[in-house]
């Protein structure tokens, strides 16, 4: 054997120096060209790990990072325990509320996160990019963030360059649920800079913050070119810029040569750094800057001219009734050239804010006329937006900019640039303008205007004035003798006799310039423009075929950002379940273009329609079911094409119609609750809690209905497409009770390792929802019947029913079928978890049973229920202490009436008795007379235990639970999870899985992540791979317990299947059959068996290799304390689809396993997993450490101080992994030893070191 030192030369040759490793094909790039958003190498390798990983293949100059492979160079620079790390939802054991990443929409995707930090002081977690270089003026940073709890004090996005820090965005919330989009414009940044994202928590923070899908878009400066296209400007650095980028107050060249004095000195520019220049303003405008200003959410964080908080701009916070007006000097009448104005405006914080640009002309008879040239309205975000207006007038004129601010809103102006054709009139004093207000004509145009001469009014005027005085308050609509409040406008319910309150509510043929209330809210290089068909590119006619008709067309605009054009409807709602939106459109574009319709509700957008890709220049029609939605919501069209690109790209909209949208209108179908979904969805309709919806689907593949096996049913699949929210609703319309008590029956299907919870609730106006029924976790691959009793008081009024699906992850589906409503109460349910109700059980006695949650237990009752294993779970409890129930007194809990049984059944329940003198729990079956079938008075403690009784009943029957008190203090009896199933009860710890999971628990455990074991048969269609047959019957109809390993993903997680608590034993045999459908290579996962007791866990068996046929394993078990057997699935490598299944589990108390001579104690107990090394140097390094360790151990033993006391044999040194060895070790040490687990070693607190 070579000496350890002989391996050092080999190791150094293999590992080498990481910083000087040679990479084949590496591109040599100077440092100043790295991380500058420009690909100098063919593979763009110099732009990797720059806060982004690569340029997006479909988005041109967009550089992205989705954190799926690495952090892309982002670094945590936090100085406290509150810090950032790369994480995924599935790797967070206890779950901080982030259920999925944004990229994949599943819990297997990665993101950067800052988790729960239990410090007592406020702290800041800071995540920073590497050094970036030279951002263009158009540079945008887009990211998605997720703030789970409201305890986060603040989120900030900052940019640091030189000695200055720019705050790009900051918010103190509140933030909506799920992933939120953030888009900010960095502006021109010269030299080196870094971007930081910071989360500030207060001292009580218990939530989490995550960051995903970072994009740097249009950030690179133009590169030098040999020649420029015709009409382009050649920069001093030999780059080329487009004509509209010249002299626009932005350094598009990168060397400022497109904005220098020789090029732009002839223009009249006002940047407000030293004053107002030629302009004058009325009360309401103020020259200000970001630094030192009063902090408010909508205030600009920097100016446009200098991109600095110290730069100056003009800002208005005037009230809507008193707009702030900025006026130019009087300009001379124009000759053959236009006067153009380029300006940058800021409109943020209020949907009611607006900016108007008007032309005030001086007619030949000394009267003034004002014409509205441009209106921008709404909240356009915290960014400076460029616009341009070209003016031609035969008379002297002034340009007016009028700002109207809404509540909390801000309107700003900066960098007003007048062309050289705008010549002030001789002797005009810009500050001598007297503004008068009064009614006057106004022309509404969306685009550049060339006003014609009109007959002027008798007095100078502006297009606003005082509202007509009357009985109606501000904001109300007056129609005849009515005053319609704002919340009743566009609510699809006509209030005015002539319907004025429902005009301008989205329905339009665009023949009127009012456009049905739709507004263009674009901020980029595209806009929606109102045009005559024959004067616009496109089909040449409107949707009705008229050349003289009008429609909206997607046209170029003066904005500087590459953003989709946006068209926003007025505020709408509420709408009814049949609300439909009809539209006519044409769309032709390259693959990167799109035309979509979204519903905007608060801060969220739901995509509801998208035009087919490619398209044509012919008018098409379509309809979209909007359904029932609460007020307020708005519709938004987003369009993106490249008008200068190949082909005749374009898009248009016409004939927009809202139909059947009244929330009050009902039909006969709306009253149909009973439904098998074969014809339609009857009176059920999907809600819009999230972007995943219940869908009526036909049986296909693994999905099949309950009615016929080939029909229709309602399905909720959160992975198709990946949902961003956490739940979805299926509701009825308003129903009128037809009986005081009704029974709703239905069939449900919950299947998958991350299925979550399905609940049924009753909703009445003005009241909290009443939960009627709920189930959590997978219930196997089959349909189950359920019932819920509805109670109606005489004056309770109308009600709604709703099913709510709340998912834990994306592996699993929920389904409903065969819903029926009938008068009278329901039969007693076969299953009751007490999560939603007491399931019809009635209590009697001096101290009656109570429905209680673990969080309310305090000194009496379990701290967690059995169903969910959490403090939020519910159970039934009776206080048997001396003060509540005298010695010998009883409290009973009686079920509703069960139907007669056609075959023997098994009634199981979980109970917990207080540690000290709990009394006695008895169970009776009442079928004519009363028969005791179960009694227990021992087994006190804090563990839930399984009770089971065999039931045979030819007539209707009830079950009675009776608790008898002993008169001691602090005693109680608790009950949870009642289940009645077919067949005799199995022996404790045993199960053949033909009727279910018996006493084995499969729900997800919070400390292990969310996935859970499932139950199925090969004959039932499934979306997951599984064994072809079971072991019990040897057929496809037989059942087994299985786990799909693909849900675990990378990073190392586990999933448990636990037995009921088993009593101490000196000798028992645990026998089972297992199936491992694992890949043969490149997979690091295994099935293990653990013996779990109050003193810890001991791994007693493991198998990591594939076993494509059922194989038997048996273990001798010995324990001096109560214990549970645990099947554990682990995965440390990359996700791999493959089922792990177990069947025919038998636990035989007092019967040691009988092994044949020469037979191994347990198949696979010494199996090891194949490891495929990624780096050869890593193997040699590990080998070196082993050799050094063995050498040191040998030297110590020679000195007589061997640390293992001379124990011989690998099994003794490794903890005895064989079942006989482990069983004896457990018995000898009573678990008071080192607990061997695969990834870590836990030392019991009783072990003194």
């Amino acid at each position: 054997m070579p000496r350890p030192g002989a391996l050092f030369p080999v190791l150094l040759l293999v590992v080498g120096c990481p910083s000087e490793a040679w990479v084949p094909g590496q591109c040599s790039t100077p440092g100043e060209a790295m991380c500058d958003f420009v690909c100098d190498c063919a593979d763009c390798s110099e732009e990797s790990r720059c806060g982004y990983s690569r340029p997006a293949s479909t988005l041109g100059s967009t550089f992205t990072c989705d954190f799926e492979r690495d952090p892309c160079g982002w670094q945590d620079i936090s100085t406290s325990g509150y810090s950032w790390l790369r994480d995924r939802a599935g790797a967070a054991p206890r779950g901080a509320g982030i259920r999925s990443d944004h990229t994949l929409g599943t819990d297997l995707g990665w993101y950067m996160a800052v988790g729960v930090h239990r410090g007592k002081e406020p702290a800041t977690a800071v995540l920073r990019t590497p050094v970036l270089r030279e951002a263009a003026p158009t540079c945008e940073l887009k990211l998605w963030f997720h703030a789970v709890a409201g305890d986060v004090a603040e989120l900030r996005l900052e940019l640091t360059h030189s000695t200055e820090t720019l705050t790009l965005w900051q918010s103190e919330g509140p933030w909506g649920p799920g992933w939120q989009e953030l888009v900010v414009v960095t502006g021109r940044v010269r030299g080196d800079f870094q971007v930081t994202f910071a989360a500030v928590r207060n001292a009580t923070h218990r939530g989490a913050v995550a960051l995903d899908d970072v994009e740097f878009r249009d950030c690179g400066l133009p590169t030098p070119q040999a020649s420029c296209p015709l009409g382009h400007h050649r920069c001093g650095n030999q780059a080329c810029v487009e004509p509209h980028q010249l002299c626009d107050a932005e350094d598009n060249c990168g060397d400022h040569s497109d904005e220098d004095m020789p090029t732009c000195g002839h223009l009249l520019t006002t940047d407000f750094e030293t004053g107002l220049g030629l302009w004058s303003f009325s009360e309401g405008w103020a020259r200000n800057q970001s630094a030192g200003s009063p902090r408010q959410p909508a205030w600009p964080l920097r100016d446009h001219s200098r991109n600095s908080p110290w730069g100056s701009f003009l800002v208005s916070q005037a009230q809507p009734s008193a707009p702030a007006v900025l006026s130019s000097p009087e300009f001379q009448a124009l000759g053959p050239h236009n006067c153009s104005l380029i300006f940058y405006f800021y409109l943020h914080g209020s949907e009611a804010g607006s900016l108007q640009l008007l032309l005030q002309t001086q007619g030949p008879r000394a009267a003034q006329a004002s014409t509205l040239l441009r209106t921008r309205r709404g909240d356009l975000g915290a960014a400076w937006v460029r616009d341009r207006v070209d003016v031609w007038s035969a008379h002297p004129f002034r340009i007016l900019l009028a700002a109207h601010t809404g509540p909390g809103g801000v309107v700003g102006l900066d960098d007003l640039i007048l062309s050289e054709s705008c010549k002030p009139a001789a002797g005009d004093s810009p500050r001598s303008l007297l503004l008068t207000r009064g009614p006057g004509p106004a022309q509404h145009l969306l685009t550049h205007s060339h006003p014609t001469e009109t007959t002027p009014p008798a007095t100078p005027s502006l297009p606003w004035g005082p509202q007509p005085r009357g009985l109606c308050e501000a904001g109300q609509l007056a129609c005849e003798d009515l005053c319609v409040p704002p919340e009743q406008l566009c609510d699809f319910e006509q209030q005015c006799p002539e319907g004025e309150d429902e005009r301008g509510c989205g329905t339009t043929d665009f023949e009127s310039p009012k456009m049905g209330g739709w507004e263009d809210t674009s901020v980029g290089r595209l806009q929606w423009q109102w045009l005559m068909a024959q004067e616009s590119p496109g089909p040449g006619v409107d949707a009705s075929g008229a050349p003289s008709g009008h429609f909206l067309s997607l046209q170029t605009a003066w904005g500087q950002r590459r953003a989709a054009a946006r068209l926003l409807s007025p505020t709408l709602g509420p709408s009814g379940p049949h609300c439909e939106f009809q539209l006519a459109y044409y769309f032709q574009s390259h693959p990167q273009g799109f035309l979509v319709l979204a519903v905007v509700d608060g801060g969220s957008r739901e995509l509801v329609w998208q035009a087919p890709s490619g398209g044509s220049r012919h008018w098409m029609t379509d309809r979209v079911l909007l359904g029932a939605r609460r007020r307020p919501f708005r519709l938004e069209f987003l369009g993106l094409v490249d008008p200068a690109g190949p082909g005749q790209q374009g898009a248009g909209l016409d004939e927009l119609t809202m139909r059947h949208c009244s929330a009050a209108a009902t039909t006969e179908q709306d009253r149909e609750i009973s439904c098998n979904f074969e014809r339609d969805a009857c009176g059920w309709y999907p809600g819009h809690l999230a972007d995943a919806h219940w869908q009526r689907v036909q049986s296909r593949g693994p999905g099949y209905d309950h009615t016929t096996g080939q029909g229709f049913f309602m399905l909720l699949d959160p992975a198709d497409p990946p949902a961003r929210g956490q739940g979805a609703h299926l509701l009825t319309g308003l129903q009128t009770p037809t009986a005081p008590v009704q029974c709703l029956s239905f069939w449900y299907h919950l299947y998958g390792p991350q299925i979550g919870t399905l609940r049924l609730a009753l909703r009445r106006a003005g009241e909290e929802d009443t939960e009627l029924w709920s189930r959590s976790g997978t219930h196997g691959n089959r349909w189950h019947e359920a019932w819920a009793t509805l109670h109606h008081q005489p004056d309770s009024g109308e009600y709604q029913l709703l099913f709510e699906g709340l998912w834990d992850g994306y592996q699993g589906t929920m389904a409903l079928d065969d819903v029926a409503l009938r008068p009278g109460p329901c039969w007693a349910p076969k299953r009751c978890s007490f999560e939603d109700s007491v399931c019809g059980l009635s209590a009697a006695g001096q101290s009656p049973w109570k429905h209680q949650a673990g969080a309310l237990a305090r000194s009496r009752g379990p701290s967690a229920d059995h169903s969910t294993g959490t403090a939020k779970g519910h159970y039934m409890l009776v206080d048997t202490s001396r003060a509540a129930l005298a010695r010998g007194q009883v409290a009973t809990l009686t079920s509703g009436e069960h139907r007669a049984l056609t075959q023997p059944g098994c009634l199981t329940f979980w109970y917990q008795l207080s540690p000290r003198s709990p009394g006695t729990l008895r169970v009776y079956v009442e079928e004519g007379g009363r028969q005791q079938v179960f009694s227990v008075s021992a087994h006190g403690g804090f563990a839930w235990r399984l009770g089971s009784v065999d039931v045979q009943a030819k007539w209707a029957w009830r079950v009675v639970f009776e608790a008898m008190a002993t008169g001691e203090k602090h005693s109680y009896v608790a009950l949870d999870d009642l289940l009645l199933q077919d067949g005799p009860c199995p022996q404790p710890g045993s199960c053949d899985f033909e009727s279910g999971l018996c006493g084995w628990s499969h729900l997800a455990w919070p400390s292990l992540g969310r996935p859970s074991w499932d139950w199925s048969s090969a004959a039932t269609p499934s979306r997951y791979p599984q064994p072809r047959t079971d072991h019990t019957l040897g057929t496809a109809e037989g059942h087994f317990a299985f786990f799909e390993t693909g849900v675990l993903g990378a990073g190392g997680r586990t999933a448990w299947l636990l037995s009921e608590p088993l009593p101490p034993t000196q000798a028992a045999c645990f026998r089972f059959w297992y199936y491992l459908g694992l890949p043969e290579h490149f997979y690091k996962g295994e099935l293990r068996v653990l013996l779990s007791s109050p003193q810890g866990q001991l791994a007693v068996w493991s198998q990591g290799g594939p076993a494509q046929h059922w194989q038997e394993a048996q273990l001798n078990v010995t324990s001096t304390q109560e214990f549970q057997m645990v099947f554990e699935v682990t995965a440390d490598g990359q996700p791999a689809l493959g089922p792990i299944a177990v069947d025919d589990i038998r636990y035989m108390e007092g019967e040691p396993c009988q092994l044949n001579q020469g037979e191994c104690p347990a198949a696979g107990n010494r199996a090891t997993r194949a490891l495929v090394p990624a780096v050869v140097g890593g193997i040699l390094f590990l080998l070196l450490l082993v050799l050094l360790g063995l050498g040191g151990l040998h030297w110590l033993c020679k000195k007589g101080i061997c640390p293992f006391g001379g124990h011989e044999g690998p099994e003794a040194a490794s903890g005895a992994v064989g079942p006989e060895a482990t069983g004896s070790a457990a018995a000898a040490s009573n678990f008071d030893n080192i607990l061997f687990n695969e990834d870590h070693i836990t030392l019991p607190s009783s072990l003194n070191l």
Side-chain angles (χ1 to χ4, degrees), residues 1152-1220:
C1153 298
Q1154 301 298 323
L1155 304 178
N1156 297 327
Q1157 186 173 1
E1159 183 181 351
C1160 294
N1165 64 328
R1166 292 181 177 84
T1168 58
R1169 298 173 301 171
L1171 302 178
V1172 181
V1175 181
V1176 176
I1179 296 178
L1180 295 178
F1181 181 70
L1182 291 174
L1183 180 60
L1184 172 63
L1185 294 179
V1186 171
L1187 293 175
L1188 289 175
L1190 291 175
L1193 178 62
H1194 180 69
W1195 181 83
L1196 289 173
C1197 289
K1198 287 183 65 176
K1199 294 293 185 180
I1201 53 173
C1202 186
F1204 296 108
H1207 289 303
E1208 67 276 10
E1211 292 185 357
S1214 62
V1217 297
E1220 292 182 330

Side-chain angles (χ1 to χ4, degrees), residues 230-247:
L230 183 64
H232 283 51
H233 173 75
R234 190 169 189 82
C235 305
N237 57 10
Q238 305 305 306
C240 305
V241 297
E242 299 180 48
H244 66 83
Q245 296 178 308
L246 199 63
C247 301

Side-chain angles (χ1 to χ4, degrees), residues 135-143 157-159 166-169 182-189 193 195 215-219 250 301-304 307-308 344 346 380-386 523-524 559-563:
T138 56
C139 182
E140 287 183 359
L141 173 56
K142 174 183 174 182
L143 56 86
L157 184 68
E158 296 177 329
L159 185 150
L166 303 179
T167 300
L168 302 178
W169 172 81
L182 173 63
V183 180
V184 297
V185 179
T186 69
R188 176 75 174 100
V189 183
F193 66 96
V195 176
E215 295 183 9
F216 290 88
R217 183 163 51 190
D218 292 337
C219 293
E250 293 192 337
L301 298 175
R302 43 211 162 113
D303 76 329
H304 177 264
N307 195 28
S308 168
Y344 291 82
Y346 181 94
L380 303 185
W384 292 97
V385 180
R386 180 177 66 186
V523 296
Q560 75 275 38
R561 299 167 59 185
R562 186 174 64 87

Side-chain angles (χ1 to χ4, degrees), residues 543-607:
S544 67
S548 59
H550 294 78
F551 64 89
L552 280 189
S553 177
L554 204 55
Q555 299 293 313
T556 57
W558 291 107
Q560 75 275 38
R561 299 167 59 185
R562 186 174 64 87
R566 297 179 181 270
L567 183 70
L568 201 61
S569 77
T571 299
L572 307 172
S575 62
H578 306 294
C579 184
E580 185 179 82
F581 181 69
Q582 296 181 350
L583 71 152
Y585 71 96
Y586 79 86
F587 173 68
Q588 186 173 11
S589 177
H590 54 74
Q592 297 180 27
F594 57 82
L595 175 63
V596 300
L597 175 66
V599 176
V600 181
D601 182 359
S604 64
R605 280 182 174 85
E606 178 192 348
L607 180 66

Side-chain angles (χ1 to χ4, degrees), residues 351-376:
E351 293 291 343
S354 67
L355 178 68
Q356 294 180 321
L357 190 146
L358 303 106
L359 183 70
Q360 191 178 67
T361 58
Q362 185 72 32
R365 292 186 294 276
Q368 292 181 342
S370 297
T371 303
L372 182 63
L373 302 184
R374 180 83 87 251
T375 296
R376 302 306 302 267

